[in-house]
mmCIF file of all heavy atoms in Angstrom:
data_model
loop_
_atom_site.group_PDB
_atom_site.id
_atom_site.type_symbol
_atom_site.label_atom_id
_atom_site.label_comp_id
_atom_site.label_asym_id
_atom_site.label_seq_id
_atom_site.Cartn_x
_atom_site.Cartn_y
_atom_site.Cartn_z
ATOM 1 N N ILE A 166 153.232 202.126 -201.433
ATOM 2 C CA ILE A 166 154.715 202.158 -201.614
ATOM 3 C C ILE A 166 155.386 201.654 -200.355
ATOM 4 O O ILE A 166 156.251 200.782 -200.393
ATOM 5 C CB ILE A 166 155.168 203.608 -201.956
ATOM 6 C CG1 ILE A 166 154.736 203.978 -203.380
ATOM 7 C CG2 ILE A 166 156.710 203.699 -201.836
ATOM 8 C CD1 ILE A 166 154.963 205.437 -203.703
ATOM 9 N N LYS A 167 154.938 202.143 -199.184
ATOM 10 C CA LYS A 167 155.521 201.706 -197.902
ATOM 11 C C LYS A 167 155.375 200.221 -197.784
ATOM 12 O O LYS A 167 156.305 199.508 -197.346
ATOM 13 C CB LYS A 167 154.908 202.401 -196.764
ATOM 14 C CG LYS A 167 155.314 203.863 -196.623
ATOM 15 C CD LYS A 167 154.648 204.581 -195.439
ATOM 16 C CE LYS A 167 155.094 206.002 -195.299
ATOM 17 N NZ LYS A 167 154.452 206.705 -194.182
ATOM 18 N N GLN A 168 154.162 199.662 -198.045
ATOM 19 C CA GLN A 168 153.908 198.243 -197.885
ATOM 20 C C GLN A 168 154.716 197.408 -198.842
ATOM 21 O O GLN A 168 155.299 196.384 -198.381
ATOM 22 C CB GLN A 168 152.400 197.949 -198.109
ATOM 23 C CG GLN A 168 151.975 196.541 -197.805
ATOM 24 C CD GLN A 168 152.363 196.110 -196.455
ATOM 25 O OE1 GLN A 168 152.053 196.808 -195.470
ATOM 26 N NE2 GLN A 168 152.985 194.930 -196.296
ATOM 27 N N VAL A 169 154.858 197.754 -200.069
ATOM 28 C CA VAL A 169 155.635 196.966 -201.026
ATOM 29 C C VAL A 169 157.100 197.007 -200.665
ATOM 30 O O VAL A 169 157.818 195.997 -200.865
ATOM 31 C CB VAL A 169 155.302 197.366 -202.492
ATOM 32 C CG1 VAL A 169 156.020 198.683 -202.893
ATOM 33 C CG2 VAL A 169 155.682 196.285 -203.449
ATOM 34 N N LEU A 170 157.600 198.159 -200.182
ATOM 35 C CA LEU A 170 158.971 198.242 -199.768
ATOM 36 C C LEU A 170 159.249 197.339 -198.555
ATOM 37 O O LEU A 170 160.186 196.573 -198.573
ATOM 38 C CB LEU A 170 159.373 199.674 -199.463
ATOM 39 C CG LEU A 170 159.461 200.630 -200.637
ATOM 40 C CD1 LEU A 170 159.679 202.055 -200.142
ATOM 41 C CD2 LEU A 170 160.520 200.200 -201.639
ATOM 42 N N LEU A 171 158.352 197.388 -197.549
ATOM 43 C CA LEU A 171 158.501 196.542 -196.416
ATOM 44 C C LEU A 171 158.474 195.052 -196.761
ATOM 45 O O LEU A 171 159.258 194.267 -196.252
ATOM 46 C CB LEU A 171 157.407 196.845 -195.336
ATOM 47 C CG LEU A 171 157.603 198.059 -194.528
ATOM 48 C CD1 LEU A 171 156.387 198.376 -193.659
ATOM 49 C CD2 LEU A 171 158.812 197.976 -193.646
ATOM 50 N N THR A 172 157.589 194.707 -197.644
ATOM 51 C CA THR A 172 157.506 193.286 -198.103
ATOM 52 C C THR A 172 158.793 192.778 -198.721
ATOM 53 O O THR A 172 159.121 191.614 -198.549
ATOM 54 C CB THR A 172 156.358 193.148 -199.147
ATOM 55 O OG1 THR A 172 155.113 193.563 -198.549
ATOM 56 C CG2 THR A 172 156.235 191.766 -199.648
ATOM 57 N N ASN A 173 159.541 193.671 -199.344
ATOM 58 C CA ASN A 173 160.781 193.360 -199.965
ATOM 59 C C ASN A 173 162.073 193.643 -199.092
ATOM 60 O O ASN A 173 163.167 193.603 -199.593
ATOM 61 C CB ASN A 173 160.919 194.043 -201.297
ATOM 62 C CG ASN A 173 160.043 193.442 -202.329
ATOM 63 O OD1 ASN A 173 160.308 192.375 -202.862
ATOM 64 N ND2 ASN A 173 158.903 194.067 -202.669
ATOM 65 N N GLY A 174 161.831 193.995 -197.831
ATOM 66 C CA GLY A 174 162.950 194.211 -196.958
ATOM 67 C C GLY A 174 163.524 195.617 -196.911
ATOM 68 O O GLY A 174 164.636 195.819 -196.439
ATOM 69 N N PHE A 175 162.787 196.588 -197.485
ATOM 70 C CA PHE A 175 163.190 197.919 -197.526
ATOM 71 C C PHE A 175 162.305 198.791 -196.615
ATOM 72 O O PHE A 175 161.273 198.279 -196.180
ATOM 73 C CB PHE A 175 163.111 198.490 -198.983
ATOM 74 C CG PHE A 175 163.928 197.664 -199.948
ATOM 75 C CD1 PHE A 175 163.228 196.916 -200.891
ATOM 76 C CD2 PHE A 175 165.297 197.659 -199.939
ATOM 77 C CE1 PHE A 175 163.931 196.158 -201.797
ATOM 78 C CE2 PHE A 175 166.014 196.930 -200.847
ATOM 79 C CZ PHE A 175 165.332 196.147 -201.763
ATOM 80 N N GLU A 176 162.710 200.015 -196.403
ATOM 81 C CA GLU A 176 161.895 200.899 -195.561
ATOM 82 C C GLU A 176 162.028 202.325 -196.079
ATOM 83 O O GLU A 176 163.137 202.792 -196.404
ATOM 84 C CB GLU A 176 162.441 200.780 -194.126
ATOM 85 C CG GLU A 176 161.741 201.631 -193.104
ATOM 86 C CD GLU A 176 162.381 201.537 -191.757
ATOM 87 O OE1 GLU A 176 163.124 200.535 -191.524
ATOM 88 O OE2 GLU A 176 162.099 202.417 -190.930
ATOM 89 N N LEU A 177 160.855 202.970 -196.110
ATOM 90 C CA LEU A 177 160.835 204.385 -196.557
ATOM 91 C C LEU A 177 161.273 205.195 -195.325
ATOM 92 O O LEU A 177 160.764 205.044 -194.255
ATOM 93 C CB LEU A 177 159.401 204.758 -196.946
ATOM 94 C CG LEU A 177 159.257 205.993 -197.842
ATOM 95 C CD1 LEU A 177 160.060 205.873 -199.086
ATOM 96 C CD2 LEU A 177 157.783 206.155 -198.185
ATOM 97 N N LEU A 178 162.223 206.096 -195.550
ATOM 98 C CA LEU A 178 162.770 206.924 -194.449
ATOM 99 C C LEU A 178 162.118 208.295 -194.515
ATOM 100 O O LEU A 178 162.174 208.963 -195.531
ATOM 101 C CB LEU A 178 164.264 207.085 -194.569
ATOM 102 C CG LEU A 178 165.065 205.791 -194.421
ATOM 103 C CD1 LEU A 178 166.554 206.045 -194.741
ATOM 104 C CD2 LEU A 178 164.947 205.216 -193.041
ATOM 105 N N ASP A 179 161.492 208.650 -193.351
ATOM 106 C CA ASP A 179 160.762 209.951 -193.364
ATOM 107 C C ASP A 179 161.619 211.053 -192.661
ATOM 108 O O ASP A 179 161.524 212.203 -193.039
ATOM 109 C CB ASP A 179 159.394 209.754 -192.577
ATOM 110 C CG ASP A 179 158.485 208.794 -193.333
ATOM 111 O OD1 ASP A 179 158.510 208.808 -194.538
ATOM 112 O OD2 ASP A 179 157.772 208.094 -192.636
ATOM 113 N N GLU A 180 162.311 210.619 -191.655
ATOM 114 C CA GLU A 180 163.047 211.647 -190.770
ATOM 115 C C GLU A 180 164.389 212.003 -191.407
ATOM 116 O O GLU A 180 165.116 211.126 -191.857
ATOM 117 C CB GLU A 180 163.216 210.997 -189.385
ATOM 118 C CG GLU A 180 163.428 212.001 -188.322
ATOM 119 C CD GLU A 180 164.912 212.004 -187.911
ATOM 120 O OE1 GLU A 180 165.461 210.993 -187.769
ATOM 121 O OE2 GLU A 180 165.398 213.164 -187.800
ATOM 122 N N LYS A 181 164.672 213.257 -191.462
ATOM 123 C CA LYS A 181 165.880 213.792 -192.116
ATOM 124 C C LYS A 181 167.156 213.151 -191.572
ATOM 125 O O LYS A 181 168.061 212.832 -192.360
ATOM 126 C CB LYS A 181 165.923 215.334 -191.959
ATOM 127 C CG LYS A 181 167.075 215.976 -192.663
ATOM 128 C CD LYS A 181 166.928 215.936 -194.178
ATOM 129 C CE LYS A 181 168.036 216.694 -194.863
ATOM 130 N NZ LYS A 181 168.164 216.343 -196.271
ATOM 131 N N ARG A 182 167.262 213.032 -190.283
ATOM 132 C CA ARG A 182 168.511 212.439 -189.699
ATOM 133 C C ARG A 182 168.686 210.978 -190.200
ATOM 134 O O ARG A 182 169.814 210.596 -190.499
ATOM 135 C CB ARG A 182 168.449 212.547 -188.141
ATOM 136 C CG ARG A 182 168.561 213.948 -187.644
ATOM 137 C CD ARG A 182 168.181 214.106 -186.230
ATOM 138 N NE ARG A 182 168.328 212.968 -185.367
ATOM 139 C CZ ARG A 182 169.305 212.750 -184.477
ATOM 140 N NH1 ARG A 182 170.247 213.696 -184.267
ATOM 141 N NH2 ARG A 182 169.292 211.711 -183.720
ATOM 142 N N SER A 183 167.648 210.220 -190.227
ATOM 143 C CA SER A 183 167.760 208.850 -190.704
ATOM 144 C C SER A 183 168.106 208.824 -192.194
ATOM 145 O O SER A 183 168.799 207.890 -192.647
ATOM 146 C CB SER A 183 166.379 208.170 -190.532
ATOM 147 O OG SER A 183 166.095 208.010 -189.184
ATOM 148 N N GLN A 184 167.653 209.794 -192.949
ATOM 149 C CA GLN A 184 167.966 209.849 -194.400
ATOM 150 C C GLN A 184 169.449 210.083 -194.548
ATOM 151 O O GLN A 184 170.081 209.514 -195.400
ATOM 152 C CB GLN A 184 167.198 210.980 -195.034
ATOM 153 C CG GLN A 184 165.693 210.672 -195.169
ATOM 154 C CD GLN A 184 164.885 211.877 -195.696
ATOM 155 O OE1 GLN A 184 165.468 212.939 -196.055
ATOM 156 N NE2 GLN A 184 163.611 211.727 -195.766
ATOM 157 N N ILE A 185 170.031 210.952 -193.694
ATOM 158 C CA ILE A 185 171.470 211.302 -193.791
ATOM 159 C C ILE A 185 172.249 210.031 -193.429
ATOM 160 O O ILE A 185 173.243 209.683 -194.144
ATOM 161 C CB ILE A 185 171.856 212.472 -192.873
ATOM 162 C CG1 ILE A 185 171.202 213.746 -193.421
ATOM 163 C CG2 ILE A 185 173.357 212.625 -192.803
ATOM 164 C CD1 ILE A 185 171.296 214.961 -192.491
ATOM 165 N N VAL A 186 171.844 209.308 -192.416
ATOM 166 C CA VAL A 186 172.543 208.100 -192.018
ATOM 167 C C VAL A 186 172.489 207.061 -193.136
ATOM 168 O O VAL A 186 173.504 206.442 -193.501
ATOM 169 C CB VAL A 186 171.995 207.513 -190.712
ATOM 170 C CG1 VAL A 186 172.476 206.105 -190.500
ATOM 171 C CG2 VAL A 186 172.373 208.427 -189.526
ATOM 172 N N GLU A 187 171.366 206.933 -193.786
ATOM 173 C CA GLU A 187 171.248 206.002 -194.913
ATOM 174 C C GLU A 187 172.133 206.447 -196.090
ATOM 175 O O GLU A 187 172.748 205.589 -196.765
ATOM 176 C CB GLU A 187 169.799 205.845 -195.316
ATOM 177 C CG GLU A 187 169.564 204.716 -196.312
ATOM 178 C CD GLU A 187 169.861 203.327 -195.782
ATOM 179 O OE1 GLU A 187 169.987 203.145 -194.518
ATOM 180 O OE2 GLU A 187 170.033 202.401 -196.596
ATOM 181 N N GLN A 188 172.214 207.732 -196.303
ATOM 182 C CA GLN A 188 173.085 208.249 -197.372
ATOM 183 C C GLN A 188 174.567 207.916 -197.046
ATOM 184 O O GLN A 188 175.287 207.505 -197.907
ATOM 185 C CB GLN A 188 172.951 209.741 -197.506
ATOM 186 C CG GLN A 188 171.590 210.164 -198.162
ATOM 187 C CD GLN A 188 171.495 211.649 -198.297
ATOM 188 O OE1 GLN A 188 171.415 212.345 -197.269
ATOM 189 N NE2 GLN A 188 171.446 212.149 -199.449
ATOM 190 N N ILE A 189 174.965 208.031 -195.768
ATOM 191 C CA ILE A 189 176.269 207.658 -195.347
ATOM 192 C C ILE A 189 176.566 206.195 -195.672
ATOM 193 O O ILE A 189 177.550 205.886 -196.273
ATOM 194 C CB ILE A 189 176.494 208.000 -193.855
ATOM 195 C CG1 ILE A 189 176.530 209.493 -193.605
ATOM 196 C CG2 ILE A 189 177.837 207.376 -193.374
ATOM 197 C CD1 ILE A 189 176.440 209.852 -192.143
ATOM 198 N N ASN A 190 175.632 205.370 -195.253
ATOM 199 C CA ASN A 190 175.711 203.911 -195.511
ATOM 200 C C ASN A 190 175.906 203.650 -196.972
ATOM 201 O O ASN A 190 176.799 202.866 -197.408
ATOM 202 C CB ASN A 190 174.553 203.124 -194.977
ATOM 203 C CG ASN A 190 174.516 203.032 -193.496
ATOM 204 O OD1 ASN A 190 175.531 203.169 -192.828
ATOM 205 N ND2 ASN A 190 173.376 202.764 -192.925
ATOM 206 N N ASN A 191 175.086 204.239 -197.823
ATOM 207 C CA ASN A 191 175.140 203.985 -199.250
ATOM 208 C C ASN A 191 176.415 204.523 -199.890
ATOM 209 O O ASN A 191 176.964 203.846 -200.791
ATOM 210 C CB ASN A 191 173.887 204.597 -199.932
ATOM 211 C CG ASN A 191 172.636 203.844 -199.562
ATOM 212 O OD1 ASN A 191 172.718 202.617 -199.440
ATOM 213 N ND2 ASN A 191 171.531 204.480 -199.451
ATOM 214 N N VAL A 192 176.886 205.665 -199.469
ATOM 215 C CA VAL A 192 178.165 206.209 -200.017
ATOM 216 C C VAL A 192 179.337 205.225 -199.697
ATOM 217 O O VAL A 192 180.165 204.872 -200.538
ATOM 218 C CB VAL A 192 178.482 207.594 -199.468
ATOM 219 C CG1 VAL A 192 179.900 208.004 -199.725
ATOM 220 C CG2 VAL A 192 177.486 208.560 -200.093
ATOM 221 N N ILE A 193 179.350 204.743 -198.409
ATOM 222 C CA ILE A 193 180.432 203.791 -197.999
ATOM 223 C C ILE A 193 180.287 202.453 -198.736
ATOM 224 O O ILE A 193 181.281 201.966 -199.281
ATOM 225 C CB ILE A 193 180.368 203.600 -196.464
ATOM 226 C CG1 ILE A 193 180.785 204.926 -195.758
ATOM 227 C CG2 ILE A 193 181.300 202.422 -196.039
ATOM 228 C CD1 ILE A 193 180.452 204.910 -194.277
ATOM 229 N N ILE A 194 179.082 201.943 -198.810
ATOM 230 C CA ILE A 194 178.909 200.666 -199.497
ATOM 231 C C ILE A 194 179.322 200.780 -200.959
ATOM 232 O O ILE A 194 180.007 199.917 -201.521
ATOM 233 C CB ILE A 194 177.442 200.149 -199.335
ATOM 234 C CG1 ILE A 194 177.220 199.691 -197.962
ATOM 235 C CG2 ILE A 194 177.121 199.069 -200.370
ATOM 236 C CD1 ILE A 194 175.742 199.415 -197.574
ATOM 237 N N ASN A 195 178.917 201.854 -201.607
ATOM 238 C CA ASN A 195 179.334 202.077 -202.995
ATOM 239 C C ASN A 195 180.771 202.163 -203.173
ATOM 240 O O ASN A 195 181.363 201.578 -204.099
ATOM 241 C CB ASN A 195 178.579 203.338 -203.487
ATOM 242 C CG ASN A 195 178.673 203.396 -205.031
ATOM 243 O OD1 ASN A 195 178.429 202.451 -205.757
ATOM 244 N ND2 ASN A 195 179.025 204.598 -205.503
ATOM 245 N N GLN A 196 181.496 202.917 -202.266
ATOM 246 C CA GLN A 196 182.923 203.048 -202.368
ATOM 247 C C GLN A 196 183.627 201.692 -202.108
ATOM 248 O O GLN A 196 184.546 201.366 -202.889
ATOM 249 C CB GLN A 196 183.435 204.070 -201.340
ATOM 250 C CG GLN A 196 183.450 205.511 -201.827
ATOM 251 C CD GLN A 196 184.279 205.648 -203.042
ATOM 252 O OE1 GLN A 196 183.765 205.662 -204.199
ATOM 253 N NE2 GLN A 196 185.537 205.886 -202.905
ATOM 254 N N VAL A 197 183.221 200.968 -201.118
ATOM 255 C CA VAL A 197 183.928 199.706 -200.808
ATOM 256 C C VAL A 197 183.580 198.606 -201.823
ATOM 257 O O VAL A 197 184.477 197.881 -202.251
ATOM 258 C CB VAL A 197 183.589 199.279 -199.363
ATOM 259 C CG1 VAL A 197 184.164 197.852 -199.099
ATOM 260 C CG2 VAL A 197 184.088 200.293 -198.353
ATOM 261 N N HIS A 198 182.333 198.450 -202.151
ATOM 262 C CA HIS A 198 181.923 197.314 -202.893
ATOM 263 C C HIS A 198 181.683 197.530 -204.391
ATOM 264 O O HIS A 198 181.768 196.554 -205.189
ATOM 265 C CB HIS A 198 180.584 196.787 -202.348
ATOM 266 C CG HIS A 198 180.743 196.241 -200.939
ATOM 267 N ND1 HIS A 198 181.246 195.026 -200.648
ATOM 268 C CD2 HIS A 198 180.490 196.835 -199.749
ATOM 269 C CE1 HIS A 198 181.243 194.861 -199.357
ATOM 270 N NE2 HIS A 198 180.806 195.967 -198.806
ATOM 271 N N HIS A 199 181.497 198.765 -204.834
ATOM 272 C CA HIS A 199 181.135 198.971 -206.248
ATOM 273 C C HIS A 199 182.041 199.954 -206.946
ATOM 274 O O HIS A 199 181.821 200.181 -208.137
ATOM 275 C CB HIS A 199 179.708 199.503 -206.344
ATOM 276 C CG HIS A 199 178.730 198.580 -205.632
ATOM 277 N ND1 HIS A 199 178.479 197.288 -205.977
ATOM 278 C CD2 HIS A 199 177.943 198.819 -204.491
ATOM 279 C CE1 HIS A 199 177.570 196.786 -205.168
ATOM 280 N NE2 HIS A 199 177.245 197.654 -204.299
ATOM 281 N N ASN A 200 183.051 200.533 -206.276
ATOM 282 C CA ASN A 200 183.924 201.500 -206.920
ATOM 283 C C ASN A 200 185.119 200.786 -207.554
ATOM 284 O O ASN A 200 185.853 200.131 -206.852
ATOM 285 C CB ASN A 200 184.386 202.512 -205.896
ATOM 286 C CG ASN A 200 185.304 203.518 -206.482
ATOM 287 O OD1 ASN A 200 185.398 203.642 -207.715
ATOM 288 N ND2 ASN A 200 185.945 204.305 -205.653
ATOM 289 N N ASN A 201 185.217 200.826 -208.863
ATOM 290 C CA ASN A 201 186.323 200.159 -209.534
ATOM 291 C C ASN A 201 187.418 201.111 -209.978
ATOM 292 O O ASN A 201 188.302 200.712 -210.721
ATOM 293 C CB ASN A 201 185.806 199.437 -210.807
ATOM 294 C CG ASN A 201 184.824 198.331 -210.378
ATOM 295 O OD1 ASN A 201 185.083 197.633 -209.391
ATOM 296 N ND2 ASN A 201 183.774 198.188 -211.124
ATOM 297 N N SER A 202 187.414 202.319 -209.527
ATOM 298 C CA SER A 202 188.474 203.302 -209.901
ATOM 299 C C SER A 202 189.726 202.928 -209.106
ATOM 300 O O SER A 202 189.743 202.096 -208.236
ATOM 301 C CB SER A 202 188.063 204.718 -209.576
ATOM 302 O OG SER A 202 187.881 204.869 -208.168
ATOM 303 N N ASP A 203 190.797 203.601 -209.502
ATOM 304 C CA ASP A 203 192.111 203.324 -208.870
ATOM 305 C C ASP A 203 192.053 203.682 -207.400
ATOM 306 O O ASP A 203 191.927 204.820 -207.030
ATOM 307 C CB ASP A 203 193.191 204.127 -209.581
ATOM 308 C CG ASP A 203 194.584 203.755 -209.119
ATOM 309 O OD1 ASP A 203 194.731 202.967 -208.140
ATOM 310 O OD2 ASP A 203 195.539 204.161 -209.800
ATOM 311 N N LYS A 204 192.126 202.660 -206.531
ATOM 312 C CA LYS A 204 192.000 202.857 -205.077
ATOM 313 C C LYS A 204 193.147 203.749 -204.506
ATOM 314 O O LYS A 204 192.996 204.360 -203.490
ATOM 315 C CB LYS A 204 191.965 201.517 -204.355
ATOM 316 C CG LYS A 204 190.858 200.601 -204.791
ATOM 317 C CD LYS A 204 189.500 201.103 -204.340
ATOM 318 C CE LYS A 204 188.421 200.048 -204.745
ATOM 319 N NZ LYS A 204 187.166 200.315 -204.173
ATOM 320 N N ARG A 205 194.335 203.681 -205.181
ATOM 321 C CA ARG A 205 195.443 204.454 -204.645
ATOM 322 C C ARG A 205 195.129 205.937 -204.649
ATOM 323 O O ARG A 205 195.726 206.697 -203.863
ATOM 324 C CB ARG A 205 196.710 204.245 -205.473
ATOM 325 C CG ARG A 205 197.250 202.807 -205.388
ATOM 326 C CD ARG A 205 198.319 202.587 -206.359
ATOM 327 N NE ARG A 205 197.634 202.569 -207.687
ATOM 328 C CZ ARG A 205 198.230 202.285 -208.838
ATOM 329 N NH1 ARG A 205 199.462 202.029 -208.867
ATOM 330 N NH2 ARG A 205 197.526 202.280 -209.941
ATOM 331 N N GLU A 206 194.212 206.374 -205.504
ATOM 332 C CA GLU A 206 193.964 207.820 -205.605
ATOM 333 C C GLU A 206 192.679 208.168 -204.828
ATOM 334 O O GLU A 206 192.208 209.302 -204.909
ATOM 335 C CB GLU A 206 193.799 208.199 -207.078
ATOM 336 C CG GLU A 206 195.019 207.790 -207.861
ATOM 337 C CD GLU A 206 195.249 208.626 -209.085
ATOM 338 O OE1 GLU A 206 194.472 209.551 -209.354
ATOM 339 O OE2 GLU A 206 196.173 208.302 -209.815
ATOM 340 N N MET A 207 192.129 207.268 -204.080
ATOM 341 C CA MET A 207 190.926 207.535 -203.295
ATOM 342 C C MET A 207 191.240 208.445 -202.129
ATOM 343 O O MET A 207 192.225 208.244 -201.364
ATOM 344 C CB MET A 207 190.346 206.173 -202.808
ATOM 345 C CG MET A 207 188.878 206.375 -202.306
ATOM 346 S SD MET A 207 188.215 204.777 -201.881
ATOM 347 C CE MET A 207 188.485 204.893 -200.139
ATOM 348 N N GLU A 208 190.387 209.462 -201.965
ATOM 349 C CA GLU A 208 190.587 210.346 -200.843
ATOM 350 C C GLU A 208 190.120 209.725 -199.537
ATOM 351 O O GLU A 208 189.455 208.646 -199.539
ATOM 352 C CB GLU A 208 189.839 211.679 -201.118
ATOM 353 C CG GLU A 208 188.345 211.521 -201.196
ATOM 354 C CD GLU A 208 187.656 212.794 -201.722
ATOM 355 O OE1 GLU A 208 187.814 213.835 -201.099
ATOM 356 O OE2 GLU A 208 186.922 212.692 -202.728
ATOM 357 N N LYS A 209 190.472 210.326 -198.386
ATOM 358 C CA LYS A 209 190.070 209.754 -197.123
ATOM 359 C C LYS A 209 188.580 209.704 -197.077
ATOM 360 O O LYS A 209 187.851 210.565 -197.581
ATOM 361 C CB LYS A 209 190.597 210.676 -195.971
ATOM 362 C CG LYS A 209 192.100 210.616 -195.804
ATOM 363 C CD LYS A 209 192.607 211.378 -194.593
ATOM 364 C CE LYS A 209 191.781 212.526 -194.160
ATOM 365 N NZ LYS A 209 192.411 213.282 -193.056
ATOM 366 N N TYR A 210 188.032 208.706 -196.403
ATOM 367 C CA TYR A 210 186.547 208.554 -196.270
ATOM 368 C C TYR A 210 185.925 209.748 -195.671
ATOM 369 O O TYR A 210 184.842 210.226 -196.066
ATOM 370 C CB TYR A 210 186.184 207.311 -195.485
ATOM 371 C CG TYR A 210 186.249 206.007 -196.262
ATOM 372 C CD1 TYR A 210 187.369 205.183 -196.211
ATOM 373 C CD2 TYR A 210 185.188 205.668 -197.111
ATOM 374 C CE1 TYR A 210 187.402 204.060 -196.967
ATOM 375 C CE2 TYR A 210 185.233 204.537 -197.877
ATOM 376 C CZ TYR A 210 186.337 203.738 -197.792
ATOM 377 O OH TYR A 210 186.382 202.600 -198.566
ATOM 378 N N SER A 211 186.568 210.371 -194.634
ATOM 379 C CA SER A 211 185.984 211.550 -194.007
ATOM 380 C C SER A 211 185.808 212.705 -194.997
ATOM 381 O O SER A 211 184.753 213.325 -195.066
ATOM 382 C CB SER A 211 186.804 211.991 -192.796
ATOM 383 O OG SER A 211 188.125 212.216 -193.185
ATOM 384 N N ASP A 212 186.810 212.925 -195.837
ATOM 385 C CA ASP A 212 186.723 213.967 -196.821
ATOM 386 C C ASP A 212 185.736 213.610 -197.902
ATOM 387 O O ASP A 212 184.934 214.499 -198.322
ATOM 388 C CB ASP A 212 188.115 214.180 -197.486
ATOM 389 C CG ASP A 212 189.139 214.793 -196.494
ATOM 390 O OD1 ASP A 212 188.744 215.347 -195.469
ATOM 391 O OD2 ASP A 212 190.342 214.598 -196.770
ATOM 392 N N TYR A 213 185.727 212.385 -198.271
ATOM 393 C CA TYR A 213 184.799 211.947 -199.346
ATOM 394 C C TYR A 213 183.350 212.073 -198.885
ATOM 395 O O TYR A 213 182.512 212.585 -199.638
ATOM 396 C CB TYR A 213 185.080 210.470 -199.719
ATOM 397 C CG TYR A 213 184.315 209.969 -200.879
ATOM 398 C CD1 TYR A 213 184.581 210.429 -202.187
ATOM 399 C CD2 TYR A 213 183.343 208.992 -200.685
ATOM 400 C CE1 TYR A 213 183.845 209.943 -203.248
ATOM 401 C CE2 TYR A 213 182.574 208.576 -201.767
ATOM 402 C CZ TYR A 213 182.844 209.006 -203.062
ATOM 403 O OH TYR A 213 182.129 208.537 -204.113
#
């Protein structure tokens, strides 16, 4: 699994702190690039 992920530009995260940082990145990316809901009603990023 680790090898096939690396081959495709991904990385398995083992350490809890790194997992949280990756979760932060994914939440932000999803909100900015993939969220089609009404942006006027979006809460602050810190709260979200």
Side-chain angles (χ1 to χ4, degrees):
I166 291 169
K167 285 180 181 180
Q168 185 57 47
V169 76
L170 290 174
L171 282 173
T172 300
N173 286 285
F175 305 108
E176 181 182 341
L177 201 56
L178 296 172
D179 297 326
E180 201 257 316
K181 183 69 175 164
R182 292 167 23 107
S183 295
Q184 292 174 3
I185 292 171
V186 167
E187 190 63 16
Q188 287 177 297
I189 292 168
N190 286 340
N191 289 325
V192 167
I193 292 168
I194 288 168
N195 193 47
Q196 271 302 94
V197 173
H198 296 279
H199 307 296
N200 181 12
N201 294 323
S202 65
D203 189 349
K204 303 288 185 171
R205 291 170 292 185
E206 304 206 4
M207 194 176 96
E208 62 191 305
K209 292 187 331 186
Y210 279 99
S211 56
D212 294 338
Y213 185 72

